[in-house]
Amino acid sequence: MTPFRIRERLKELLGLTPSKAARDTAAPSPRREKVTLVLVDGDGNEQTYDGGAEDSPLFISGNMKKPIGSGCNDSTCATCRIEVLEGAENLSPQDDRERNTLKENGHPEDWRLGCRVSIMQGTVKVRAHEFLEL
Ligand code: FES
């Protein structure tokens, strides 16, 4: 725990975790299927964390020591781009906005946006290119 919960507050402000107010007012949701994100960095180091079905990799990585980097709130910057190494079949389909953002930023069309895609089931292993340094 960092002094004054700085790390937790920073994650809330960046939208990586729901704010305490949102957590306190959220209606109890039906139990969702567990999904697992395995996040690989450029050195091959892996971090693993579980989330709920339909969570985005960006959201789940907010619980990791080294979360995926992000730079916008509208899926336009591609900072959160990820390469899917395993489990592509467990992801939501790519929509036009995701496809256009990857293309406009010069990234391969089979990469995904960590903020846009959802893990629907099972385990997904991805490599991120930018990380949030806390
Ligand atoms: S955070 Fe900007 S596209 Fe995902």
Side-chain angles (χ1 to χ4, degrees), residues 58 69-72 75-80 101 113 115:
L58 181 65
S70 62
C72 69
S75 302
T76 55
C77 72
T79 303
C80 65
T101 297
L113 296 179
C115 68

Side-chain angles (χ1 to χ4, degrees), residues 36-40 46-50 60 63-64 123-124:
T36 301
L37 173 67
V38 180
L39 179 60
V40 182
E46 293 186 3
Q47 305 174 87
T48 301
Y49 206 89
D50 294 334
I60 295 172
N63 295 300
M64 296 176 171
T123 299
V124 176

Side-chain angles (χ1 to χ4, degrees), residues 12-29:
E12 289 174 9
L13 292 171
L14 293 171
L16 295 172
T17 58
S19 68
K20 180 173 181 343
R23 286 192 307 268
D24 290 346
T25 58
S29 58

Side-chain angles (χ1 to χ4, degrees), residues 14 56-59 69-81 92-105 107 111-118:
L14 293 171
S56 70
L58 181 65
F59 181 81
S70 62
C72 69
N73 286 323
D74 56 2
S75 302
T76 55
C77 72
T79 303
C80 65
R81 66 196 179 280
S92 60
Q94 204 173 47
D95 63 13
D96 288 343
R97 176 171 224 134
E98 185 179 12
R99 198 171 297 115
N100 290 340
T101 297
L102 289 165
K103 185 175 180 181
E104 288 166 5
N105 287 282
H107 302 301
W111 286 15
R112 305 300 303 265
L113 296 179
C115 68
R116 189 83 179 165
V117 65
S118 298

